[in-house]
PDB file of all heavy atoms in Angstrom:
ATOM      1  N   ARG A 145      70.867-116.382 -10.892  1.00 95.00           N
ATOM      2  CA  ARG A 145      71.196-114.960 -10.862  1.00 95.00           C
ATOM      3  C   ARG A 145      70.018-114.145 -10.336  1.00 95.00           C
ATOM      4  O   ARG A 145      70.163-112.973 -10.015  1.00 95.00           O
ATOM      5  CB  ARG A 145      71.634-114.477 -12.244  1.00 95.00           C
ATOM      6  CG  ARG A 145      70.568-114.534 -13.297  1.00 95.00           C
ATOM      7  CD  ARG A 145      71.129-114.126 -14.675  1.00 95.00           C
ATOM      8  NE  ARG A 145      70.131-114.265 -15.700  1.00 95.00           N
ATOM      9  CZ  ARG A 145      69.466-113.244 -16.229  1.00 95.00           C
ATOM     10  NH1 ARG A 145      69.706-112.023 -15.848  1.00 95.00           N
ATOM     11  NH2 ARG A 145      68.563-113.474 -17.173  1.00 95.00           N
ATOM     12  N   PHE A 146      68.845-114.793 -10.207  1.00 93.00           N
ATOM     13  CA  PHE A 146      67.650-114.120  -9.705  1.00 93.00           C
ATOM     14  C   PHE A 146      67.513-114.340  -8.202  1.00 93.00           C
ATOM     15  O   PHE A 146      67.516-115.478  -7.734  1.00 93.00           O
ATOM     16  CB  PHE A 146      66.392-114.624 -10.419  1.00 93.00           C
ATOM     17  CG  PHE A 146      66.407-114.369 -11.896  1.00 93.00           C
ATOM     18  CD1 PHE A 146      66.590-115.410 -12.785  1.00 93.00           C
ATOM     19  CD2 PHE A 146      66.248-113.081 -12.390  1.00 93.00           C
ATOM     20  CE1 PHE A 146      66.609-115.183 -14.151  1.00 93.00           C
ATOM     21  CE2 PHE A 146      66.269-112.841 -13.758  1.00 93.00           C
ATOM     22  CZ  PHE A 146      66.457-113.894 -14.644  1.00 93.00           C
ATOM     23  N   MET A 147      67.368-113.251  -7.465  1.00 89.00           N
ATOM     24  CA  MET A 147      67.251-113.319  -6.013  1.00 89.00           C
ATOM     25  C   MET A 147      66.106-114.236  -5.580  1.00 89.00           C
ATOM     26  O   MET A 147      66.269-115.073  -4.695  1.00 89.00           O
ATOM     27  CB  MET A 147      67.052-111.898  -5.459  1.00 89.00           C
ATOM     28  CG  MET A 147      66.764-111.829  -3.968  1.00 89.00           C
ATOM     29  SD  MET A 147      65.011-111.994  -3.491  1.00 89.00           S
ATOM     30  CE  MET A 147      64.287-110.520  -4.175  1.00 89.00           C
ATOM     31  N   TRP A 148      64.929-114.092  -6.189  1.00 91.00           N
ATOM     32  CA  TRP A 148      63.771-114.875  -5.766  1.00 91.00           C
ATOM     33  C   TRP A 148      64.034-116.376  -5.909  1.00 91.00           C
ATOM     34  O   TRP A 148      63.617-117.168  -5.061  1.00 91.00           O
ATOM     35  CB  TRP A 148      62.507-114.480  -6.546  1.00 91.00           C
ATOM     36  CG  TRP A 148      62.524-114.887  -7.982  1.00 91.00           C
ATOM     37  CD1 TRP A 148      62.911-114.141  -9.052  1.00 91.00           C
ATOM     38  CD2 TRP A 148      62.176-116.181  -8.508  1.00 91.00           C
ATOM     39  NE1 TRP A 148      62.826-114.882 -10.211  1.00 91.00           N
ATOM     40  CE2 TRP A 148      62.378-116.131  -9.913  1.00 91.00           C
ATOM     41  CE3 TRP A 148      61.729-117.362  -7.930  1.00 91.00           C
ATOM     42  CZ2 TRP A 148      62.130-117.226 -10.739  1.00 91.00           C
ATOM     43  CZ3 TRP A 148      61.482-118.453  -8.764  1.00 91.00           C
ATOM     44  CH2 TRP A 148      61.679-118.376 -10.152  1.00 91.00           C
ATOM     45  N   ALA A 149      64.729-116.772  -6.979  1.00 89.00           N
ATOM     46  CA  ALA A 149      65.001-118.191  -7.230  1.00 89.00           C
ATOM     47  C   ALA A 149      65.970-118.750  -6.197  1.00 89.00           C
ATOM     48  O   ALA A 149      65.828-119.897  -5.764  1.00 89.00           O
ATOM     49  CB  ALA A 149      65.541-118.384  -8.640  1.00 89.00           C
ATOM     50  N   ARG A 150      66.939-117.953  -5.789  1.00 95.00           N
ATOM     51  CA  ARG A 150      67.881-118.386  -4.745  1.00 95.00           C
ATOM     52  C   ARG A 150      67.183-118.520  -3.400  1.00 95.00           C
ATOM     53  O   ARG A 150      67.375-119.507  -2.686  1.00 95.00           O
ATOM     54  CB  ARG A 150      69.048-117.396  -4.625  1.00 95.00           C
ATOM     55  CG  ARG A 150      69.990-117.395  -5.804  1.00 95.00           C
ATOM     56  CD  ARG A 150      71.243-116.568  -5.530  1.00 95.00           C
ATOM     57  NE  ARG A 150      70.972-115.224  -5.023  1.00 95.00           N
ATOM     58  CZ  ARG A 150      70.748-114.149  -5.776  1.00 95.00           C
ATOM     59  NH1 ARG A 150      70.768-114.255  -7.094  1.00 95.00           N
ATOM     60  NH2 ARG A 150      70.522-112.977  -5.215  1.00 95.00           N
ATOM     61  N   VAL A 151      66.355-117.543  -3.049  1.00 93.00           N
ATOM     62  CA  VAL A 151      65.639-117.590  -1.767  1.00 93.00           C
ATOM     63  C   VAL A 151      64.688-118.782  -1.730  1.00 93.00           C
ATOM     64  O   VAL A 151      64.623-119.508  -0.732  1.00 93.00           O
ATOM     65  CB  VAL A 151      64.894-116.267  -1.491  1.00 93.00           C
ATOM     66  CG1 VAL A 151      64.016-116.378  -0.253  1.00 93.00           C
ATOM     67  CG2 VAL A 151      65.894-115.110  -1.331  1.00 93.00           C
ATOM     68  N   LYS A 152      63.965-119.011  -2.814  1.00 95.00           N
ATOM     69  CA  LYS A 152      63.056-120.174  -2.868  1.00 95.00           C
ATOM     70  C   LYS A 152      63.844-121.476  -2.738  1.00 95.00           C
ATOM     71  O   LYS A 152      63.422-122.405  -2.047  1.00 95.00           O
ATOM     72  CB  LYS A 152      62.255-120.181  -4.177  1.00 95.00           C
ATOM     73  CG  LYS A 152      61.229-119.081  -4.266  1.00 95.00           C
ATOM     74  CD  LYS A 152      59.858-119.608  -4.051  1.00 95.00           C
ATOM     75  CE  LYS A 152      58.841-118.509  -4.345  1.00 95.00           C
ATOM     76  NZ  LYS A 152      57.514-118.916  -3.969  1.00 95.00           N
ATOM     77  N   ALA A 153      65.007-121.558  -3.393  1.00 94.00           N
ATOM     78  CA  ALA A 153      65.828-122.774  -3.320  1.00 94.00           C
ATOM     79  C   ALA A 153      66.343-123.000  -1.896  1.00 94.00           C
ATOM     80  O   ALA A 153      66.335-124.135  -1.405  1.00 94.00           O
ATOM     81  CB  ALA A 153      66.996-122.683  -4.299  1.00 94.00           C
ATOM     82  N   GLU A 154      66.771-121.957  -1.232  1.00 97.00           N
ATOM     83  CA  GLU A 154      67.215-122.079   0.160  1.00 97.00           C
ATOM     84  C   GLU A 154      66.057-122.511   1.047  1.00 97.00           C
ATOM     85  O   GLU A 154      66.231-123.337   1.952  1.00 97.00           O
ATOM     86  CB  GLU A 154      67.789-120.754   0.656  1.00 97.00           C
ATOM     87  CG  GLU A 154      69.090-120.357   0.004  1.00 97.00           C
ATOM     88  CD  GLU A 154      69.511-118.938   0.337  1.00 97.00           C
ATOM     89  OE1 GLU A 154      69.030-118.384   1.350  1.00 97.00           O
ATOM     90  OE2 GLU A 154      70.332-118.376  -0.416  1.00 97.00           O
ATOM     91  N   THR A 155      64.887-121.970   0.784  1.00 96.00           N
ATOM     92  CA  THR A 155      63.693-122.334   1.557  1.00 96.00           C
ATOM     93  C   THR A 155      63.366-123.807   1.348  1.00 96.00           C
ATOM     94  O   THR A 155      63.139-124.539   2.320  1.00 96.00           O
ATOM     95  CB  THR A 155      62.502-121.447   1.153  1.00 96.00           C
ATOM     96  OG1 THR A 155      62.869-120.066   1.282  1.00 96.00           O
ATOM     97  CG2 THR A 155      61.287-121.741   2.024  1.00 96.00           C
ATOM     98  N   GLU A 156      63.343-124.255   0.104  1.00 96.00           N
ATOM     99  CA  GLU A 156      63.092-125.675  -0.192  1.00 96.00           C
ATOM    100  C   GLU A 156      64.093-126.561   0.550  1.00 96.00           C
ATOM    101  O   GLU A 156      63.710-127.532   1.207  1.00 96.00           O
ATOM    102  CB  GLU A 156      63.203-125.944  -1.689  1.00 96.00           C
ATOM    103  CG  GLU A 156      62.088-125.403  -2.527  1.00 96.00           C
ATOM    104  CD  GLU A 156      62.268-125.741  -4.009  1.00 96.00           C
ATOM    105  OE1 GLU A 156      63.243-126.444  -4.368  1.00 96.00           O
ATOM    106  OE2 GLU A 156      61.419-125.320  -4.807  1.00 96.00           O
ATOM    107  N   ARG A 157      65.367-126.248   0.410  1.00 97.00           N
ATOM    108  CA  ARG A 157      66.431-127.052   1.031  1.00 97.00           C
ATOM    109  C   ARG A 157      66.232-127.149   2.546  1.00 97.00           C
ATOM    110  O   ARG A 157      66.273-128.243   3.117  1.00 97.00           O
ATOM    111  CB  ARG A 157      67.794-126.410   0.721  1.00 97.00           C
ATOM    112  CG  ARG A 157      68.977-127.110   1.376  1.00 97.00           C
ATOM    113  CD  ARG A 157      70.218-126.244   1.373  1.00 97.00           C
ATOM    114  NE  ARG A 157      69.991-125.049   2.186  1.00 97.00           N
ATOM    115  CZ  ARG A 157      70.626-123.888   2.001  1.00 97.00           C
ATOM    116  NH1 ARG A 157      71.510-123.750   1.039  1.00 97.00           N
ATOM    117  NH2 ARG A 157      70.362-122.864   2.786  1.00 97.00           N
ATOM    118  N   ASP A 158      65.984-126.017   3.190  1.00 97.00           N
ATOM    119  CA  ASP A 158      65.880-126.025   4.638  1.00 97.00           C
ATOM    120  C   ASP A 158      64.567-126.634   5.126  1.00 97.00           C
ATOM    121  O   ASP A 158      64.538-127.268   6.186  1.00 97.00           O
ATOM    122  CB  ASP A 158      66.107-124.617   5.186  1.00 97.00           C
ATOM    123  CG  ASP A 158      67.542-124.150   4.956  1.00 97.00           C
ATOM    124  OD1 ASP A 158      68.408-124.977   4.568  1.00 97.00           O
ATOM    125  OD2 ASP A 158      67.813-122.947   5.149  1.00 97.00           O
ATOM    126  N   LEU A 159      63.493-126.480   4.377  1.00 97.00           N
ATOM    127  CA  LEU A 159      62.239-127.154   4.716  1.00 97.00           C
ATOM    128  C   LEU A 159      62.406-128.667   4.649  1.00 97.00           C
ATOM    129  O   LEU A 159      61.962-129.391   5.538  1.00 97.00           O
ATOM    130  CB  LEU A 159      61.109-126.714   3.784  1.00 97.00           C
ATOM    131  CG  LEU A 159      60.525-125.337   3.999  1.00 97.00           C
ATOM    132  CD1 LEU A 159      59.609-124.956   2.845  1.00 97.00           C
ATOM    133  CD2 LEU A 159      59.800-125.242   5.336  1.00 97.00           C
ATOM    134  N   MET A 160      63.063-129.151   3.582  1.00 97.00           N
ATOM    135  CA  MET A 160      63.248-130.596   3.413  1.00 97.00           C
ATOM    136  C   MET A 160      64.165-131.181   4.486  1.00 97.00           C
ATOM    137  O   MET A 160      64.023-132.342   4.848  1.00 97.00           O
ATOM    138  CB  MET A 160      63.754-130.913   2.014  1.00 97.00           C
ATOM    139  CG  MET A 160      62.664-130.724   0.960  1.00 97.00           C
ATOM    140  SD  MET A 160      63.123-131.269  -0.700  1.00 97.00           S
ATOM    141  CE  MET A 160      64.206-129.952  -1.206  1.00 97.00           C
ATOM    142  N   SER A 161      65.068-130.374   5.017  1.00 97.00           N
ATOM    143  CA  SER A 161      65.927-130.883   6.091  1.00 97.00           C
ATOM    144  C   SER A 161      65.215-130.831   7.443  1.00 97.00           C
ATOM    145  O   SER A 161      65.610-131.518   8.374  1.00 97.00           O
ATOM    146  CB  SER A 161      67.249-130.112   6.151  1.00 97.00           C
ATOM    147  OG  SER A 161      67.042-128.807   6.630  1.00 97.00           O
ATOM    148  N   LEU A 162      64.159-130.032   7.547  1.00 95.00           N
ATOM    149  CA  LEU A 162      63.429-129.878   8.806  1.00 95.00           C
ATOM    150  C   LEU A 162      62.317-130.902   8.988  1.00 95.00           C
ATOM    151  O   LEU A 162      62.152-131.470  10.064  1.00 95.00           O
ATOM    152  CB  LEU A 162      62.836-128.463   8.890  1.00 95.00           C
ATOM    153  CG  LEU A 162      61.964-128.148  10.093  1.00 95.00           C
ATOM    154  CD1 LEU A 162      62.772-128.206  11.385  1.00 95.00           C
ATOM    155  CD2 LEU A 162      61.312-126.776   9.922  1.00 95.00           C
ATOM    156  N   THR A 163      61.552-131.153   7.937  1.00 96.00           N
ATOM    157  CA  THR A 163      60.359-131.991   8.070  1.00 96.00           C
ATOM    158  C   THR A 163      60.026-132.665   6.736  1.00 96.00           C
ATOM    159  O   THR A 163      60.702-132.440   5.742  1.00 96.00           O
ATOM    160  CB  THR A 163      59.169-131.140   8.584  1.00 96.00           C
ATOM    161  OG1 THR A 163      58.105-131.997   8.955  1.00 96.00           O
ATOM    162  CG2 THR A 163      58.704-130.124   7.558  1.00 96.00           C
TER     163      THR A 163
END
Side-chain angles (χ1 to χ4, degrees):
R145 65 184 176 103
F146 299 108
M147 174 273 294
W148 70 265
R150 291 189 309 273
V151 173
K152 290 255 188 188
E154 292 170 20
T155 306
E156 288 181 3
R157 177 196 64 207
D158 293 349
L159 286 169
M160 288 187 285
S161 71
L162 176 65
T163 191

